[in-house]
Amino acid sequence: MKTSMSQEEKFMMMTTAPLPGLISKLAGPTIISMLISSIYNMADTFFVAKIGTSATAAVGVVFPVMTIIQALGFFFGHGSGNSMSRRLGAKDTKTAEELAATGFFFALLCGIAVTLTGEIFLDPLAIALGSTRTILPYAREYMRIILLGAPYMTAQFVLNNQLRFQGNAFYAMIGVISGGILNIFLDPLFIFGFNLGVSGAAIATVVSQLISFVLLLIGLRVSKCIPIRIRNVKNLRQNLMMIAGGGLPSLFRQGLGSVGTLALNLAANPFGDAAIAAMSIVGRIMFFAASALIGFGQGFQPVCGFNYGAKKYQRVREAFWFCVKISSVVLLVLAAAGYLSAETLITVFRKNDPEVIAIGTRALRFQCMTLPLNGWIIMNNMLTQTIGKTVRASLLAASRQGLFFIPAILILPMVFGIGGIEAAQPVADFLSFALAMVLNRKTMKELKGI
């Protein structure tokens, strides 16, 4: 598959190429991108863990801030991207150009707002996120620097999504993995080589993300994708409504994920720094496992959007079921491997901390039990979001780490103690799976009846 095509060539590829090969080609770069992203997320945790348990916990405490940045980026990125794919499928290039510009520049403004707000309320925010007295100094140090990168980090997610929704996942991959690999090398350099500690990890992250942002801008031009021009920021009411329709599920998913992580930190707080550190490590490991699934689903989304816009609904259904089958099998294999090697995986991060290892091992095994269900949950979420079923997509996006997880993490520890914290996510996964079953019946019926 060529990495640079005209809009007409992209349309023909998306609407006529055999689906298994097409989705696999589009998913390859996005899977690599997601895996690299999760690796450099784990890199911060891995190298910071060498400093101590409280420093490790601080990365977990600040993670909701990263999630908020991602939530805003995905709101504008997914919102503009999947709307653009439908417009391009309908051959409406003018509206696609307006969506691209509006999504990018509004994301940049929101990122600036996050930086200013976070820096002004730094200490209260760190405490509200679950910092204990021993974690607070590390959390303050780490978050102060991360917040400086919020504007271009938010805009970077928009560029990444717009590229892949137009069928140019290759250039999106180059931008993401370049920053990710750089982060892995800069972490030990800044943390230990320059003796900057937790600040070094944060500096490595913001520098790497800046490089990704620049490379994605270059990729946008080289790939002949819809250009981003400030003069195309027009028809704001109409275009922001379209972006909101496509982006709200992502905002709910990421935003409630941030609230869920906050609730997890607060619930784990009475059990000490070891509990917070252990759950932070488990979260990073599970994100790595889920990243391949998300990357695979991102290969499905542009195919879904183009064909839905072109009114080729049978291809949408066929693509969906292909992705569900493949993702479920792969997750089953990963779940079995994770369950059997859980203690070893946790030990990689904190080999001299028996309490962290014990809590983390149990929690990881619990989550591996329901990991295969996530193929069904995520693919249904991506389908409903891409075809513009906003309410349905938002409900499903909010369920796993919000509607079901938050009550579980607040109630279960009161009954089962630390075991309730370890089991909260699997309970939420099972309930989200059941909800997706109900919503899927309605969506498939509609696609058959159009």
Side-chain angles (χ1 to χ4, degrees), residues 271-329:
F271 299 96
D273 292 3
I276 298 175
M279 296 310 296
S280 174
I281 292 170
V282 171
R284 297 304 173 94
I285 293 172
M286 291 307 295
F287 180 74
F288 179 77
S291 62
L293 165 65
I294 295 170
F296 185 62
Q298 288 176 346
F300 159 71
Q301 283 182 301
V303 177
C304 177
F306 266 83
N307 284 282
Y308 190 81
K311 300 183 180 181
K312 296 195 173 189
Y313 307 120
Q314 177 63 26
R315 276 177 67 85
V316 174
R317 295 198 302 271
E318 290 175 4
F320 169 77
W321 287 113
F322 169 76
C323 290
V324 167
K325 292 172 186 176
I326 296 298
S327 61
S328 297
V329 171

Coordinates of all heavy atoms in Angstrom, one line a residue, residues 271-329:
F271 N -4.3 2.0 52.4 CA -3.5 0.8 52.4 C -2.0 1.1 52.2 O -1.2 0.2 52.1 CB -4.0 -0.2 51.4 CG -5.4 -0.6 51.6 CD1 -6.5 0.0 50.9 CD2 -5.7 -1.7 52.5 CE1 -7.8 -0.4 51.1 CE2 -7.0 -2.1 52.7 CZ -8.1 -1.4 52.0
G272 N -1.7 2.4 52.0 CA -0.3 2.9 52.0 C 0.2 3.0 50.6 O -0.4 2.7 49.6
D273 N 1.5 3.5 50.5 CA 2.1 3.8 49.2 C 2.3 2.5 48.4 O 2.3 2.5 47.1 CB 3.5 4.4 49.5 CG 3.4 5.8 50.0 OD1 2.3 6.2 50.3 OD2 4.5 6.4 50.2
A274 N 2.5 1.4 49.0 CA 2.7 0.1 48.3 C 1.4 -0.2 47.5 O 1.6 -0.7 46.3 CB 3.0 -1.0 49.3
A275 N 0.3 0.0 48.0 CA -1.0 -0.3 47.2 C -1.1 0.6 46.0 O -1.4 0.1 44.9 CB -2.2 -0.2 48.2
I276 N -0.8 1.9 46.2 CA -0.9 2.8 45.1 C 0.1 2.5 44.0 O -0.2 2.5 42.8 CB -0.7 4.3 45.6 CG1 -1.8 4.7 46.6 CG2 -0.7 5.3 44.4 CD1 -1.6 6.0 47.3
A277 N 1.4 2.2 44.5 CA 2.4 1.8 43.5 C 2.1 0.6 42.8 O 2.3 0.5 41.6 CB 3.7 1.7 44.3
A278 N 1.5 -0.5 43.5 CA 1.2 -1.7 42.8 C 0.1 -1.6 41.8 O 0.3 -2.1 40.7 CB 0.7 -2.7 43.9
M279 N -0.9 -0.8 42.1 CA -2.0 -0.6 41.2 C -1.5 0.3 40.0 O -2.0 0.1 38.9 CB -3.2 0.0 41.9 CG -3.8 -0.9 42.9 SD -4.2 -2.6 42.4 CE -5.4 -2.3 41.1
S280 N -0.6 1.2 40.2 CA 0.0 2.0 39.1 C 0.7 1.1 38.2 O 0.6 1.2 36.9 CB 0.9 3.0 39.7 OG 1.5 3.7 38.6
I281 N 1.5 0.1 38.7 CA 2.2 -0.8 37.8 C 1.3 -1.7 37.0 O 1.5 -1.9 35.8 CB 3.2 -1.6 38.7 CG1 4.3 -0.7 39.3 CG2 3.8 -2.8 37.9 CD1 5.2 -1.4 40.3
V282 N 0.3 -2.2 37.7 CA -0.7 -3.1 37.0 C -1.4 -2.3 35.9 O -1.6 -2.8 34.8 CB -1.7 -3.6 38.0 CG1 -2.9 -4.3 37.3 CG2 -1.1 -4.6 39.0
G283 N -1.7 -1.1 36.2 CA -2.4 -0.2 35.2 C -1.6 -0.1 33.9 O -2.1 -0.2 32.8
R284 N -0.3 0.1 34.1 CA 0.6 0.3 32.9 C 0.8 -1.0 32.2 O 0.8 -1.0 30.9 CB 2.0 0.8 33.4 CG 2.0 2.2 34.1 CD 1.4 3.2 33.1 NE 1.2 4.5 33.8 CZ 2.1 5.5 33.8 NH1 3.2 5.4 33.1 NH2 1.8 6.6 34.4
I285 N 0.8 -2.1 32.9 CA 1.0 -3.4 32.2 C -0.3 -3.8 31.4 O -0.2 -4.2 30.3 CB 1.3 -4.6 33.3 CG1 2.6 -4.4 33.9 CG2 1.2 -5.9 32.6 CD1 2.9 -5.3 35.0
M286 N -1.4 -3.5 32.0 CA -2.7 -3.8 31.3 C -2.9 -2.9 30.1 O -3.5 -3.2 29.1 CB -3.9 -3.7 32.3 CG -3.9 -4.8 33.4 SD -3.8 -6.5 32.7 CE -5.4 -6.5 31.8
F287 N -2.4 -1.6 30.3 CA -2.5 -0.7 29.1 C -1.7 -1.2 28.0 O -2.1 -1.1 26.8 CB -2.1 0.7 29.5 CG -2.2 1.7 28.4 CD1 -3.4 2.1 27.9 CD2 -1.0 2.1 27.7 CE1 -3.5 3.0 26.9 CE2 -1.1 3.0 26.6 CZ -2.3 3.4 26.2
F288 N -0.6 -1.8 28.3 CA 0.3 -2.4 27.2 C -0.5 -3.5 26.5 O -0.5 -3.6 25.3 CB 1.6 -3.0 27.8 CG 2.5 -3.6 26.8 CD1 3.3 -2.9 26.0 CD2 2.6 -5.0 26.7 CE1 4.1 -3.5 25.0 CE2 3.4 -5.6 25.8 CZ 4.1 -4.8 24.9
A289 N -1.2 -4.4 27.3 CA -1.9 -5.5 26.7 C -3.1 -5.0 25.9 O -3.3 -5.5 24.8 CB -2.5 -6.4 27.8
A290 N -3.7 -3.9 26.4 CA -4.9 -3.4 25.6 C -4.5 -2.5 24.4 O -5.3 -2.3 23.5 CB -5.7 -2.5 26.6
S291 N -3.2 -2.1 24.4 CA -2.8 -1.2 23.4 C -2.8 -1.8 22.0 O -3.1 -1.2 21.0 CB -1.4 -0.6 23.6 OG -0.4 -1.7 23.7
A292 N -2.5 -3.1 22.0 CA -2.5 -3.8 20.7 C -4.0 -3.9 20.2 O -4.2 -3.8 19.0 CB -1.9 -5.2 20.8
L293 N -4.9 -4.1 21.1 CA -6.3 -4.2 20.7 C -6.8 -2.8 20.2 O -7.4 -2.7 19.2 CB -7.1 -4.5 22.0 CG -8.6 -4.3 21.9 CD1 -9.3 -5.2 20.8 CD2 -9.3 -4.5 23.3
I294 N -6.4 -1.7 20.9 CA -6.8 -0.4 20.5 C -6.2 -0.1 19.1 O -6.9 0.5 18.2 CB -6.4 0.6 21.5 CG1 -7.1 0.4 22.8 CG2 -6.6 2.1 21.0 CD1 -6.6 1.2 24.0
G295 N -4.9 -0.4 18.9 CA -4.3 -0.2 17.6 C -5.0 -1.0 16.5 O -5.2 -0.4 15.4
F296 N -5.4 -2.2 16.8 CA -6.1 -3.0 15.8 C -7.5 -2.3 15.5 O -7.9 -2.2 14.3 CB -6.3 -4.4 16.3 CG -6.9 -5.4 15.3 CD1 -6.3 -5.6 14.1 CD2 -8.2 -6.0 15.6 CE1 -6.9 -6.5 13.2 CE2 -8.7 -6.8 14.6 CZ -8.1 -7.1 13.5
G297 N -8.1 -1.9 16.5 CA -9.4 -1.2 16.3 C -9.3 0.1 15.5 O -10.2 0.5 14.8
Q298 N -8.1 0.8 15.7 CA -7.9 2.0 15.0 C -7.7 1.7 13.5 O -7.9 2.6 12.6 CB -6.7 2.7 15.6 CG -7.0 3.4 16.9 CD -5.8 4.0 17.6 OE1 -4.7 3.8 17.2 NE2 -6.1 4.8 18.6
G299 N -7.3 0.5 13.1 CA -7.2 0.1 11.7 C -8.6 -0.1 11.1 O -8.8 0.1 9.9
F300 N -9.6 -0.4 12.0 CA -11.0 -0.6 11.6 C -11.7 0.7 11.4 O -12.5 0.8 10.5 CB -11.7 -1.5 12.7 CG -13.2 -1.4 12.7 CD1 -13.9 -1.9 11.6 CD2 -13.8 -0.7 13.7 CE1 -15.3 -1.8 11.6 CE2 -15.2 -0.6 13.7 CZ -16.0 -1.2 12.7
Q301 N -11.4 1.7 12.2 CA -12.2 2.9 12.2 C -12.2 3.7 10.8 O -13.3 4.1 10.4 CB -11.7 3.9 13.3 CG -12.2 3.4 14.7 CD -11.7 4.4 15.8 OE1 -10.6 4.6 16.0 NE2 -12.7 4.9 16.5
P302 N -11.1 3.9 10.2 CA -11.2 4.6 8.9 C -12.0 3.8 7.9 O -12.7 4.4 7.0 CB -9.7 4.8 8.5 CG -8.9 3.9 9.3 CD -9.7 3.7 10.6
V303 N -11.8 2.5 7.9 CA -12.6 1.6 7.0 C -14.1 1.8 7.3 O -14.9 1.9 6.4 CB -12.2 0.2 7.1 CG1 -13.0 -0.7 6.2 CG2 -10.7 0.0 6.8
C304 N -14.4 1.8 8.5 CA -15.8 1.9 9.0 C -16.3 3.3 8.5 O -17.4 3.4 8.0 CB -15.9 1.8 10.5 SG -17.5 2.0 11.2
G305 N -15.6 4.4 8.8 CA -16.1 5.7 8.5 C -16.2 5.9 7.0 O -17.3 6.5 6.6
F306 N -15.3 5.6 6.2 CA -15.4 5.8 4.8 C -16.6 5.0 4.2 O -17.3 5.5 3.4 CB -14.1 5.3 4.1 CG -13.1 6.4 3.8 CD1 -12.2 6.8 4.9 CD2 -13.0 7.1 2.6 CE1 -11.3 7.8 4.7 CE2 -12.0 8.1 2.4 CZ -11.2 8.4 3.4
N307 N -16.7 3.7 4.6 CA -17.8 2.9 4.0 C -19.2 3.3 4.5 O -20.1 3.2 3.8 CB -17.5 1.4 4.3 CG -16.4 0.9 3.4 OD1 -16.7 0.6 2.2 ND2 -15.2 0.8 3.9
Y308 N -19.2 3.8 5.8 CA -20.5 4.3 6.3 C -20.9 5.6 5.5 O -22.0 5.7 5.1 CB -20.4 4.6 7.8 CG -21.8 4.9 8.4 CD1 -22.6 3.8 8.8 CD2 -22.2 6.2 8.7 CE1 -23.8 4.1 9.3 CE2 -23.4 6.4 9.2 CZ -24.2 5.4 9.6 OH -25.4 5.7 10.1
G309 N -19.9 6.4 5.3 CA -20.2 7.7 4.5 C -20.5 7.4 3.1 O -21.4 8.1 2.5
A310 N -20.0 6.3 2.5 CA -20.3 5.9 1.2 C -21.5 5.0 1.1 O -21.9 4.5 0.0 CB -19.1 5.2 0.5
K311 N -22.2 4.8 2.2 CA -23.4 4.0 2.3 C -23.2 2.5 2.0 O -24.1 1.8 1.5 CB -24.5 4.6 1.5 CG -24.9 6.0 1.9 CD -26.0 6.6 1.1 CE -26.3 8.0 1.5 NZ -27.5 8.6 0.8
K312 N -22.0 2.0 2.2 CA -21.7 0.6 2.0 C -21.7 -0.1 3.4 O -20.7 -0.5 4.0 CB -20.3 0.4 1.3 CG -20.2 1.0 -0.1 CD -19.0 0.6 -0.8 CE -19.1 1.1 -2.3 NZ -18.1 0.4 -3.1
Y313 N -23.0 -0.3 3.8 CA -23.2 -0.8 5.2 C -22.8 -2.3 5.4 O -22.5 -2.7 6.5 CB -24.6 -0.5 5.6 CG -25.0 0.9 5.4 CD1 -26.1 1.2 4.6 CD2 -24.4 1.9 6.1 CE1 -26.5 2.6 4.4 CE2 -24.7 3.3 5.9 CZ -25.8 3.6 5.0 OH -26.1 4.9 4.8
Q314 N -22.9 -3.1 4.4 CA -22.5 -4.5 4.5 C -21.0 -4.6 4.8 O -20.6 -5.4 5.6 CB -22.9 -5.2 3.2 CG -22.4 -6.7 3.1 CD -23.1 -7.5 4.2 OE1 -24.2 -7.2 4.6 NE2 -22.5 -8.6 4.6
R315 N -20.2 -3.7 4.1 CA -18.8 -3.7 4.4 C -18.5 -3.3 5.9 O -17.6 -3.8 6.5 CB -18.1 -2.8 3.4 CG -17.7 -3.5 2.1 CD -17.1 -2.5 1.1 NE -15.8 -2.1 1.5 CZ -14.6 -2.7 1.3 NH1 -14.6 -3.9 0.7 NH2 -13.4 -2.2 1.7
V316 N -19.3 -2.4 6.4 CA -19.1 -2.0 7.8 C -19.4 -3.2 8.7 O -18.6 -3.4 9.6 CB -20.1 -0.8 8.1 CG1 -20.0 -0.5 9.6 CG2 -19.8 0.4 7.3
R317 N -20.4 -3.9 8.5 CA -20.7 -5.1 9.3 C -19.6 -6.2 9.2 O -19.2 -6.7 10.2 CB -22.1 -5.7 8.9 CG -23.3 -4.8 9.2 CD -24.6 -5.6 9.3 NE -24.8 -6.2 8.0 CZ -25.5 -5.7 6.9 NH1 -25.9 -4.5 7.0 NH2 -25.7 -6.4 5.8
E318 N -19.2 -6.4 8.0 CA -18.2 -7.5 7.8 C -16.9 -7.1 8.4 O -16.2 -7.9 9.0 CB -18.0 -7.7 6.3 CG -19.1 -8.3 5.5 CD -18.9 -8.4 4.0 OE1 -17.8 -8.0 3.6 OE2 -19.8 -8.9 3.3
A319 N -16.5 -5.8 8.4 CA -15.3 -5.3 9.0 C -15.4 -5.5 10.5 O -14.4 -5.9 11.2 CB -15.0 -3.9 8.6
F320 N -16.5 -5.1 11.0 CA -16.7 -5.2 12.5 C -16.5 -6.7 13.0 O -15.8 -6.9 13.9 CB -18.1 -4.7 12.9 CG -18.5 -5.0 14.3 CD1 -18.0 -4.3 15.3 CD2 -19.4 -6.0 14.6 CE1 -18.3 -4.6 16.7 CE2 -19.7 -6.3 15.9 CZ -19.2 -5.6 16.9
W321 N -17.2 -7.6 12.4 CA -17.1 -9.0 12.9 C -15.7 -9.6 12.7 O -15.3 -10.4 13.5 CB -18.2 -9.9 12.2 CG -19.6 -9.5 12.7 CD1 -20.6 -9.0 12.0 CD2 -20.1 -9.8 14.0 NE1 -21.7 -8.8 12.8 CE2 -21.4 -9.3 14.0 CE3 -19.5 -10.3 15.2 CZ2 -22.2 -9.4 15.2 CZ3 -20.3 -10.4 16.3 CH2 -21.6 -9.9 16.3
F322 N -15.1 -9.2 11.6 CA -13.7 -9.7 11.4 C -12.8 -9.2 12.6 O -12.0 -10.0 13.2 CB -13.1 -9.1 10.1 CG -11.6 -9.3 9.9 CD1 -11.1 -10.5 9.6 CD2 -10.8 -8.2 10.1 CE1 -9.7 -10.7 9.5 CE2 -9.4 -8.3 10.0 CZ -8.9 -9.6 9.6
C323 N -13.0 -7.9 13.0 CA -12.1 -7.4 14.1 C -12.5 -8.0 15.4 O -11.6 -8.2 16.3 CB -12.3 -5.9 14.1 SG -11.6 -5.0 12.7
V324 N -13.8 -8.3 15.7 CA -14.2 -8.9 16.9 C -13.5 -10.3 17.1 O -13.0 -10.6 18.1 CB -15.7 -9.0 17.0 CG1 -16.1 -9.9 18.2 CG2 -16.3 -7.6 17.2
K325 N -13.6 -11.1 16.0 CA -13.0 -12.4 16.1 C -11.5 -12.4 16.3 O -11.0 -13.2 17.2 CB -13.3 -13.2 14.8 CG -14.8 -13.5 14.6 CD -15.1 -14.0 13.2 CE -16.6 -14.2 12.9 NZ -16.9 -14.6 11.5
I326 N -10.8 -11.6 15.6 CA -9.3 -11.6 15.7 C -8.9 -11.1 17.1 O -8.1 -11.7 17.7 CB -8.7 -10.7 14.6 CG1 -9.0 -11.3 13.2 CG2 -7.2 -10.5 14.8 CD1 -8.4 -12.6 13.0
S327 N -9.5 -10.0 17.5 CA -9.1 -9.4 18.8 C -9.4 -10.3 20.0 O -8.6 -10.4 20.9 CB -9.8 -8.0 19.0 OG -11.2 -8.2 19.0
S328 N -10.5 -11.0 19.9 CA -10.9 -11.9 21.0 C -9.9 -13.0 21.2 O -9.5 -13.4 22.3 CB -12.3 -12.4 20.9 OG -13.3 -11.4 20.9
V329 N -9.5 -13.6 20.1 CA -8.5 -14.7 20.1 C -7.2 -14.2 20.7 O -6.6 -14.9 21.5 CB -8.4 -15.3 18.7 CG1 -7.2 -16.3 18.7 CG2 -9.6 -16.0 18.3

